[in-house]
Amino acid sequence: MEKINLTINGQEIEATKGMTVLEAAQSADVYIPTLCHYPDLEPYGGCRLCIVEIENMRGLLTACTTPATEGMHVTTESPAINEVRRMTLELMLSTHPCDCLECHRRERCGPYDVCLRHVAVTDRCVVCPSNGTCELQKVVDYMVVRELRVSKDTKSVPVDISNPFFDIDRNRCILCARCVRACQEITGVGAIDMAYRGYAMKVATFGDTPLMDSICRSCGECMVRCPVGALTPKETFHPEREVKTICPYCGVGCQMYLGVKNEQVVCIRGDEEGPANHGRLCVKGRFGIAEFVNHPERLTTPLVRKNGQLEEASWEEALAAVAGKLGNYKGDEVAVISSAKSTNEDNYVMQKFVRAVLGTNNIDHCARL
Ligand code: SF4
Ligand code: SF4
Ligand code: SF4
Ligand code: SF4
């Protein structure tokens, strides 16, 4: 790929032709705050936090929408940039229901401390599912905002809990439109959009219905891209370890990580390195695995019917029982159903066994088994 050279904050860097200024900076580990940019979404320029100065170009430009070019001189920090960036952030915070963010005591407060600013605080970061992973917190910390020059004007609208897997709390939404763009660009569904204008603007479905009454497919691609605690899973877990695997549901073969805690699958994320899915998952892969894997009635050992009752058995015993009974039949007297939840290799061996050993073409599989 063709390379270009540019200067960011006086540092010469090499970038790939076609990168934006933001991508070029990120490739050189130069931090530029942003809340609407997401690597696999089209440049948007919505949050206006990534503004930079570029020599011989007028005004402050959004780094996420400006192509990097050969010989460019970029400045990411200056009094003028910081003033505009700070005001943009303060306006965003003025509608965000979390006084913790700009509180001077923030670093010293634990989850259950009594808040000295309010007697009964229910909208602190410590009660938000995104606490600790929230990108807004990171930007506020970077900008060291500890007081607002504009007055607070937060909303109090009901949380949409209609979806069985995740909630939309519009009170915490910063209108970055990542969810809308993910639904449009990644899934091609277009279940949500930015509706209304001005202060009334919000993420909404067609007709402003609850999400479950829309064409939403519950894939959660919007949820994983939300930078704050506005789109969050019904339950949030912090896994002890992750196990890389392939989704067992269909032949696409999406690669994923199972988050494991106390030997239970508690969450799932797509693997960005997965050649078939690049981190994306559908509703089955993202939300449909933990329940059956953790189910107390899940079979974890073969069962052999003895005197009309199914009893636990070893694999040797079970295989001997099947082999013994198969010997009583031949050819088309036998049919075998395999499963798409098995690996390609296992299914290949099964059809080979049925055709070559049992002597029949009665072999099928079902994606739902
Ligand atoms: S979205 Fe972020 S800033 Fe807002 S309450 Fe949650 S953790 Fe705090
Ligand atoms: S869950 Fe999927 S289909 Fe539904 S709104 Fe989000 S991205 Fe769109
Ligand atoms: S719900 Fe999340 S991703 Fe969607 S616009 Fe609001 S903050 Fe952005
Ligand atoms: S995540 Fe969905 S598309 Fe991907 S393999 Fe699983 S079922 Fe198929």
Side-chain angles (χ1 to χ4, degrees), residues 160-165 205 209-218:
D160 182 346
I161 56 167
S162 64
N163 188 284
F165 309 113
T205 61
T209 62
L211 195 60
M212 272 316 273
D213 296 341
S214 74
I215 57 171
C216 168
R217 293 181 188 164
S218 300

Side-chain angles (χ1 to χ4, degrees), residues 96-98 101 123-125 128 130-132 134 136-137 172 228-229:
H96 198 80
C98 186
L101 273 183
D123 57 358
R124 293 194 293 163
C125 286
C128 177
S130 294
N131 189 22
C134 173
L136 181 57
Q137 284 179 325
R172 296 198 191 113
V228 294

Side-chain angles (χ1 to χ4, degrees), residues 5 46 80 112 126 136 140 158 161 214 220 234-235 280 287 290 293 348:
N5 296 292
Y112 302 107
V126 287
L136 181 57
V140 169
I161 56 167
S214 74
K234 292 275 187 209
E235 291 181 293
R280 297 153 195 181
F287 300 114
V293 172
Y348 176 81

Side-chain angles (χ1 to χ4, degrees), residues 196-228:
Y196 306 100
R197 288 295 172 263
Y199 189 68
M201 182 178 272
K202 65 173 184 175
V203 174
T205 61
F206 183 74
D208 206 358
T209 62
L211 195 60
M212 272 316 273
D213 296 341
S214 74
I215 57 171
C216 168
R217 293 181 188 164
S218 300
C219 64
E221 289 296 330
C222 51
M223 181 193 79
V224 294
R225 287 169 180 76
C226 182
V228 294

Side-chain angles (χ1 to χ4, degrees), residues 12-84:
E12 283 194 12
I13 66 158
E14 189 184 64
T16 304
K17 194 173 180 185
M19 279 182 169
T20 62
V21 171
L22 180 67
E23 288 166 340
Q26 287 173 339
S27 72
D29 287 332
V30 176
Y31 178 69
I32 301 177
T34 172
L35 287 169
C36 70
H37 171 77
Y38 201 85
D40 64 359
L41 298 176
E42 291 295 315
Y44 184 61
C47 73
R48 319 303 290 179
L49 289 172
C50 68
I51 46 171
V52 293
E53 289 169 358
I54 299 175
E55 201 172 275
N56 298 326
M57 293 179 85
R58 222 171 59 171
L60 300 173
L61 298 119
T62 45
C64 69
T65 55
T66 306
T69 54
E70 178 69 36
M72 199 175 236
H73 290 275
V74 181
T75 304
T76 68
E77 299 286 338
S78 74
I81 293 171
N82 287 341
E83 180 50 33
V84 176

Side-chain angles (χ1 to χ4, degrees), residues 35 168-170 172-180 192 194 203 222 225-231:
L35 287 169
I168 309 180
D169 184 347
R170 292 181 174 86
R172 296 198 191 113
C173 174
I174 57 166
L175 301 174
C176 69
R178 281 190 195 173
C179 55
V180 169
I192 47 177
M194 304 309 291
V203 174
C222 51
R225 287 169 180 76
C226 182
V228 294
L231 277 163

Side-chain angles (χ1 to χ4, degrees), residues 246-256 277 280-286 289:
I246 303 282
C247 175
Y249 272 112
C250 86
V252 173
C254 295
Q255 209 156 286
M256 54 169 58
N277 60 320
R280 297 153 195 181
L281 297 171
C282 78
V283 59
K284 292 183 285 181
R286 193 181 305 285
I289 290 179

